[in-house]
Amino acid sequence: MTDDATSTATRGDAIPTLGLGTWENTDPEACAGAVETALEMGYRHVDTAQAYGNEADVGRGIAAADVDREDVFLATKVWIDNLAHDDVLETTRESLERLGVDAVDLLYVHWPAGAYDPEDTLPAFQTLYDEGTIDRIGVSNFEPRHLDRAREVLDAPIAANQIEMHPLLQQDDLREYMAEMDIELVAYSPLARGAVFDVPEIRNVAEKHAVSEAQVSLAWLREKGAVPIPKATSEAHIRDNWESRDLELDDEDIAKIDAIEREKRQVDPSFGPWN
Ligand SMILES: NC(=O)c1ccc[n+]([C@@H]2O[C@H](COP(=O)([O-])OP(=O)(O)OC[C@H]3O[C@@H](n4cnc5c(N)ncnc54)[C@H](OP(=O)(O)O)[C@@H]3O)[C@@H](O)[C@H]2O)c1
């Protein structure tokens, strides 16, 4: 087991290496229950967003868990309609209220789209950072040109870029670029929303180690230095994903997965910057 998944999250510490995603976990009890279950199992990183409509449920899950708030790394995202300067400030305060917390560990720009304008949006993130309302500034779905511009505007570092990554979208170029910039890669849809389960190479590695395909995908992401945030609702899935931390892939496994050339992006809205 690695220690960093249980460390106290404060500004400057590494982001806990496996998080719980919550997109489409819209049933209030199921969402709060998943967060509580995950935290009591050992997860220390929870990912939500204004757009998910579940910040209050995530907050209830955190409050119900027998884990101190300061030990939980909590991330949320400002939706694209709310990215004008004053809307960032106002809606972030609303998010904190729904979450039932005084501050979040990471606040992301959800997409470089809608009302996003680096000169207008990012100074509001900087203000929230300077006043301690957010411990880190993050961005999501940013390509190198967006990262470059944001770095010019912000005084604070960009702690993370949350992007889609899994064996069917390996993101080699962006990953290399982010490593050079010292920006952490948080991998969303790390199970390709279920699509990795049907990939023969992943099945083959899973059979070899007698583990699930989900675990193989998560262990491969860890090998690549990414922080995966699988969404899971049932205790069985939450546990299966957590146990990926014990899976060590060997060089042959990694080479086999690296060689998968079929690309399939799962999250592809018309406003995605690659469209
Ligand atoms: N920044 C962005 O634009 C963005 C975009 C997409 C996602 N995200 C974040 O990333 C998180 C994860 O991505 P995602 O929700 O798109 O997809 P995902 O984590 O790749 O896949 C989630 C699906 O896999 C199932 N599952 C989870 N663990 C499993 C296991 N061990 N065995 C079998 N099935 C399993 C879940 O089912 P159950 O729920 O039934 O357990 C759910 O149907 C999101 O929840 C969200 O927090 C961010």
Side-chain angles (χ1 to χ4, degrees):
M1 296 283 164
T2 50
D3 290 329
D4 51 352
T6 53
S7 69
T8 300
T10 53
R11 194 176 271 184
D13 282 359
I15 297 176
T17 50
L18 179 76
L20 180 74
T22 63
W23 184 29
E24 293 183 338
N25 205 341
T26 46
D27 177 87
E29 294 324 309
C31 181
V35 171
E36 181 181 357
T37 300
L39 291 176
E40 295 200 339
M41 201 178 285
Y43 285 72
R44 289 295 177 267
H45 175 173
V46 181
D47 182 81
T48 182
Q50 292 176 343
Y52 301 169
N54 62 11
E55 288 175 312
D57 307 320
V58 167
R60 280 193 302 119
I62 292 172
D66 193 14
V67 174
D68 290 342
R69 162 67 189 107
E70 61 264 32
D71 291 336
V72 181
F73 185 95
L74 177 58
T76 192
K77 314 182 192 79
V78 180
W79 185 239
I80 62 174
D81 295 342
N82 301 333
L83 288 170
H85 181 277
D86 292 355
D87 294 342
V88 171
L89 299 178
E90 191 181 324
T91 66
T92 298
R93 294 193 207 297
E94 290 166 2
S95 286
L96 296 184
E97 240 168 72
R98 283 190 293 270
L99 288 161
V101 297
D102 298 330
V104 288
D105 300 276
L106 178 57
L107 184 73
Y108 294 100
V109 174
H110 204 147
W111 291 85
Y116 179 68
D117 169 0
E119 280 75 20
D120 187 46
T121 304
L122 297 174
F125 276 70
Q126 182 72 49
T127 297
L128 292 166
Y129 177 87
D130 291 340
E131 71 189 24
T133 304
I134 65 177
D135 265 358
R136 295 171 189 74
I137 297 175
V139 295
S140 180
N141 298 298
F142 273 39
E143 305 219 298
R145 66 185 192 278
H146 307 106
L147 293 173
D148 289 346
R149 188 72 200 106
R151 278 159 45 90
E152 282 164 15
V153 175
L154 284 168
D155 291 333
I158 298 172
N161 186 18
Q162 184 179 127
I163 59 169
E164 181 174 341
M165 180 176 166
H166 44 70
L168 296 172
L169 191 65
Q170 301 199 2
Q171 300 277 23
D172 291 344
D173 294 344
L174 190 47
R175 184 154 46 88
E176 195 178 314
Y177 191 80
M178 286 167 55
E180 274 169 31
M181 305 290 142
D182 204 19
I183 298 172
E184 285 223 51
L185 194 161
V186 177
Y188 78 65
S189 305
L191 310 176
R193 304 181 64 78
V196 296
F197 304 155
D198 300 323
V199 175
E201 293 89 336
I202 304 281
R203 283 209 166 148
N204 187 281
V205 174
E207 274 166 26
K208 173 175 150 187
H209 292 276
V211 297
S212 69
E213 288 81 5
Q215 289 195 12
V216 172
S217 193
L218 298 173
W220 176 83
L221 282 159
R222 191 184 68 226
E223 278 295 331
K224 300 290 168 190
V227 172
I229 49 166
K231 177 255 187 180
T233 312
S234 65
E235 178 169 357
H237 285 170
I238 294 169
R239 185 175 302 284
D240 188 39
N241 297 340
W242 187 239
E243 289 177 352
S244 70
R245 297 158 74 248
D246 296 330
L247 173 60
E248 291 293 339
L249 299 177
D250 61 32
D251 292 348
E252 188 194 353
D253 304 329
I254 291 164
K256 187 177 284 182
I257 299 170
D258 285 355
I260 297 171
E261 283 189 351
R262 301 178 296 290
E263 279 224 344
K264 177 92 181 77
R265 192 182 279 281
Q266 301 291 327
V267 180
D268 195 10
S270 56
F271 55 77
W274 45 81
N275 285 318

CSV table of all heavy atoms in Angstrom, one decimal, residues 141-166:
chain,number,residue,atom,x,y,z
A,141,ASN,N,-9.8,19.3,-19.3
A,141,ASN,CA,-10.0,19.3,-20.8
A,141,ASN,C,-9.2,20.3,-21.5
A,141,ASN,O,-9.6,20.8,-22.5
A,141,ASN,CB,-11.5,19.4,-21.1
A,141,ASN,CG,-12.3,18.3,-20.5
A,141,ASN,OD1,-12.1,17.1,-20.9
A,141,ASN,ND2,-13.2,18.6,-19.6
A,142,PHE,N,-8.1,20.7,-20.9
A,142,PHE,CA,-7.2,21.7,-21.5
A,142,PHE,C,-6.2,21.1,-22.4
A,142,PHE,O,-5.6,20.0,-22.1
A,142,PHE,CB,-6.5,22.6,-20.4
A,142,PHE,CG,-7.2,23.8,-19.9
A,142,PHE,CD1,-8.6,23.7,-19.7
A,142,PHE,CD2,-6.6,24.9,-19.6
A,142,PHE,CE1,-9.3,24.8,-19.2
A,142,PHE,CE2,-7.3,26.1,-19.1
A,142,PHE,CZ,-8.6,26.0,-18.9
A,143,GLU,N,-5.9,21.7,-23.5
A,143,GLU,CA,-4.9,21.2,-24.5
A,143,GLU,C,-3.7,22.1,-24.2
A,143,GLU,O,-3.8,23.2,-23.5
A,143,GLU,CB,-5.4,21.4,-25.9
A,143,GLU,CG,-6.7,20.6,-26.0
A,143,GLU,CD,-6.8,19.8,-27.3
A,143,GLU,OE1,-6.8,20.5,-28.4
A,143,GLU,OE2,-6.9,18.6,-27.3
A,144,PRO,N,-2.5,21.8,-24.8
A,144,PRO,CA,-1.3,22.6,-24.5
A,144,PRO,C,-1.5,24.1,-24.7
A,144,PRO,O,-1.0,24.9,-23.9
A,144,PRO,CB,-0.2,22.0,-25.5
A,144,PRO,CG,-0.6,20.6,-25.6
A,144,PRO,CD,-2.1,20.6,-25.6
A,145,ARG,N,-2.2,24.5,-25.7
A,145,ARG,CA,-2.3,26.0,-26.0
A,145,ARG,C,-3.1,26.6,-24.8
A,145,ARG,O,-2.8,27.8,-24.5
A,145,ARG,CB,-3.0,26.2,-27.3
A,145,ARG,CG,-4.5,25.8,-27.5
A,145,ARG,CD,-5.0,26.0,-28.9
A,145,ARG,NE,-6.4,25.9,-29.0
A,145,ARG,CZ,-7.1,24.7,-29.1
A,145,ARG,NH1,-6.4,23.6,-29.1
A,145,ARG,NH2,-8.4,24.7,-29.3
A,146,HIS,N,-4.1,25.9,-24.3
A,146,HIS,CA,-4.9,26.5,-23.1
A,146,HIS,C,-4.0,26.5,-21.9
A,146,HIS,O,-4.1,27.5,-21.1
A,146,HIS,CB,-6.1,25.7,-22.8
A,146,HIS,CG,-7.0,25.4,-24.0
A,146,HIS,ND1,-7.1,24.3,-24.7
A,146,HIS,CD2,-7.8,26.3,-24.7
A,146,HIS,CE1,-7.9,24.4,-25.7
A,146,HIS,NE2,-8.4,25.6,-25.7
A,147,LEU,N,-3.2,25.5,-21.7
A,147,LEU,CA,-2.3,25.4,-20.5
A,147,LEU,C,-1.3,26.6,-20.6
A,147,LEU,O,-1.0,27.3,-19.6
A,147,LEU,CB,-1.5,24.1,-20.5
A,147,LEU,CG,-2.4,22.9,-20.2
A,147,LEU,CD1,-1.6,21.6,-20.3
A,147,LEU,CD2,-3.0,22.9,-18.8
A,148,ASP,N,-0.7,26.8,-21.8
A,148,ASP,CA,0.3,27.9,-22.0
A,148,ASP,C,-0.3,29.2,-21.6
A,148,ASP,O,0.3,30.0,-20.8
A,148,ASP,CB,0.7,27.9,-23.4
A,148,ASP,CG,1.6,26.8,-23.8
A,148,ASP,OD1,2.1,26.1,-22.8
A,148,ASP,OD2,1.9,26.6,-25.0
A,149,ARG,N,-1.5,29.5,-22.1
A,149,ARG,CA,-2.2,30.8,-21.9
A,149,ARG,C,-2.5,31.0,-20.4
A,149,ARG,O,-2.3,32.0,-19.8
A,149,ARG,CB,-3.5,30.9,-22.7
A,149,ARG,CG,-4.1,32.3,-22.7
A,149,ARG,CD,-3.3,33.3,-23.5
A,149,ARG,NE,-3.6,34.7,-23.2
A,149,ARG,CZ,-2.8,35.5,-22.4
A,149,ARG,NH1,-1.6,35.0,-22.0
A,149,ARG,NH2,-3.2,36.7,-22.1
A,150,ALA,N,-3.0,29.9,-19.8
A,150,ALA,CA,-3.4,30.0,-18.4
A,150,ALA,C,-2.2,30.2,-17.5
A,150,ALA,O,-2.2,31.0,-16.5
A,150,ALA,CB,-4.1,28.7,-17.9
A,151,ARG,N,-1.1,29.6,-17.9
A,151,ARG,CA,0.2,29.8,-17.1
A,151,ARG,C,0.7,31.2,-17.2
A,151,ARG,O,1.3,31.7,-16.2
A,151,ARG,CB,1.3,28.8,-17.5
A,151,ARG,CG,1.1,27.4,-16.9
A,151,ARG,CD,1.8,26.3,-17.7
A,151,ARG,NE,3.1,26.7,-18.1
A,151,ARG,CZ,4.2,26.5,-17.4
A,151,ARG,NH1,4.1,25.9,-16.2
A,151,ARG,NH2,5.4,26.8,-17.8
A,152,GLU,N,0.4,31.9,-18.3
A,152,GLU,CA,0.8,33.3,-18.4
A,152,GLU,C,0.0,34.2,-17.5
A,152,GLU,O,0.5,35.2,-17.0
A,152,GLU,CB,0.7,33.7,-19.9
A,152,GLU,CG,1.8,33.2,-20.8
A,152,GLU,CD,1.4,33.4,-22.3
A,152,GLU,OE1,0.4,34.1,-22.6
A,152,GLU,OE2,2.1,32.7,-23.1
A,153,VAL,N,-1.3,33.8,-17.4
A,153,VAL,CA,-2.2,34.7,-16.7
A,153,VAL,C,-2.1,34.5,-15.1
A,153,VAL,O,-2.2,35.5,-14.4
A,153,VAL,CB,-3.7,34.5,-17.1
A,153,VAL,CG1,-4.7,35.3,-16.3
A,153,VAL,CG2,-3.8,34.8,-18.6
A,154,LEU,N,-1.9,33.3,-14.7
A,154,LEU,CA,-2.0,33.0,-13.3
A,154,LEU,C,-0.6,33.2,-12.6
A,154,LEU,O,0.4,32.9,-13.2
A,154,LEU,CB,-2.4,31.5,-13.1
A,154,LEU,CG,-3.8,31.1,-13.3
A,154,LEU,CD1,-3.9,29.6,-13.4
A,154,LEU,CD2,-4.7,31.6,-12.2
A,155,ASP,N,-0.7,33.6,-11.4
A,155,ASP,CA,0.5,33.6,-10.5
A,155,ASP,C,0.7,32.3,-9.9
A,155,ASP,O,1.8,31.8,-9.7
A,155,ASP,CB,0.4,34.7,-9.4
A,155,ASP,CG,0.5,36.1,-10.0
A,155,ASP,OD1,1.1,36.3,-11.1
A,155,ASP,OD2,-0.1,37.0,-9.4
A,156,ALA,N,-0.4,31.7,-9.5
A,156,ALA,CA,-0.4,30.4,-8.8
A,156,ALA,C,-0.1,29.3,-9.8
A,156,ALA,O,-0.4,29.5,-11.0
A,156,ALA,CB,-1.7,30.1,-8.1
A,157,PRO,N,0.5,28.2,-9.4
A,157,PRO,CA,0.7,27.1,-10.4
A,157,PRO,C,-0.6,26.4,-10.7
A,157,PRO,O,-1.6,26.5,-10.0
A,157,PRO,CB,1.6,26.1,-9.6
A,157,PRO,CG,1.4,26.4,-8.1
A,157,PRO,CD,1.0,27.9,-8.1
A,158,ILE,N,-0.6,25.8,-11.9
A,158,ILE,CA,-1.8,24.9,-12.2
A,158,ILE,C,-1.4,23.6,-11.7
A,158,ILE,O,-0.4,22.9,-12.1
A,158,ILE,CB,-1.9,24.8,-13.8
A,158,ILE,CG1,-2.3,26.2,-14.4
A,158,ILE,CG2,-3.0,23.8,-14.1
A,158,ILE,CD1,-2.3,26.2,-15.9
A,159,ALA,N,-2.2,23.1,-10.7
A,159,ALA,CA,-1.8,21.9,-10.0
A,159,ALA,C,-2.1,20.7,-10.8
A,159,ALA,O,-1.4,19.7,-10.8
A,159,ALA,CB,-2.6,21.8,-8.6
A,160,ALA,N,-3.2,20.7,-11.6
A,160,ALA,CA,-3.7,19.5,-12.3
A,160,ALA,C,-4.5,19.9,-13.5
A,160,ALA,O,-5.2,20.9,-13.5
A,160,ALA,CB,-4.5,18.6,-11.4
A,161,ASN,N,-4.4,19.0,-14.5
A,161,ASN,CA,-5.3,19.1,-15.7
A,161,ASN,C,-6.0,17.7,-15.7
A,161,ASN,O,-5.4,16.7,-15.7
A,161,ASN,CB,-4.5,19.2,-17.0
A,161,ASN,CG,-5.4,19.4,-18.2
A,161,ASN,OD1,-6.5,19.8,-18.1
A,161,ASN,ND2,-4.8,19.2,-19.4
A,162,GLN,N,-7.4,17.8,-15.5
A,162,GLN,CA,-8.2,16.6,-15.5
A,162,GLN,C,-8.6,16.3,-16.9
A,162,GLN,O,-9.3,17.1,-17.5
A,162,GLN,CB,-9.4,16.7,-14.5
A,162,GLN,CG,-10.1,15.4,-14.4
A,162,GLN,CD,-11.3,15.5,-13.5
A,162,GLN,OE1,-12.4,15.1,-13.9
A,162,GLN,NE2,-11.1,15.9,-12.3
A,163,ILE,N,-8.2,15.1,-17.4
A,163,ILE,CA,-8.5,14.8,-18.8
A,163,ILE,C,-8.9,13.4,-18.9
A,163,ILE,O,-8.6,12.6,-18.1
A,163,ILE,CB,-7.2,15.0,-19.8
A,163,ILE,CG1,-6.0,14.2,-19.3
A,163,ILE,CG2,-6.9,16.5,-19.8
A,163,ILE,CD1,-4.9,14.1,-20.3
A,164,GLU,N,-9.6,13.1,-20.0
A,164,GLU,CA,-10.0,11.7,-20.3
A,164,GLU,C,-8.7,10.9,-20.6
A,164,GLU,O,-7.9,11.2,-21.5
A,164,GLU,CB,-11.0,11.6,-21.4
A,164,GLU,CG,-11.4,10.1,-21.7
A,164,GLU,CD,-12.5,9.9,-22.7
A,164,GLU,OE1,-13.2,10.9,-23.0
A,164,GLU,OE2,-12.6,8.8,-23.2
A,165,MET,N,-8.5,9.8,-19.9
A,165,MET,CA,-7.4,8.9,-20.2
A,165,MET,C,-7.7,7.5,-19.7
A,165,MET,O,-8.2,7.3,-18.6
A,165,MET,CB,-6.1,9.4,-19.5
A,165,MET,CG,-4.9,8.5,-19.8
A,165,MET,SD,-3.4,9.2,-19.1
A,165,MET,CE,-2.3,7.8,-19.2
A,166,HIS,N,-7.4,6.5,-20.6
A,166,HIS,CA,-7.5,5.1,-20.3
A,166,HIS,C,-6.8,4.4,-21.4
A,166,HIS,O,-6.3,5.0,-22.4
A,166,HIS,CB,-9.0,4.8,-20.2
A,166,HIS,CG,-9.9,5.4,-21.3
A,166,HIS,ND1,-9.8,5.0,-22.6
A,166,HIS,CD2,-10.8,6.4,-21.3
A,166,HIS,CE1,-10.6,5.7,-23.3
A,166,HIS,NE2,-11.2,6.6,-22.5
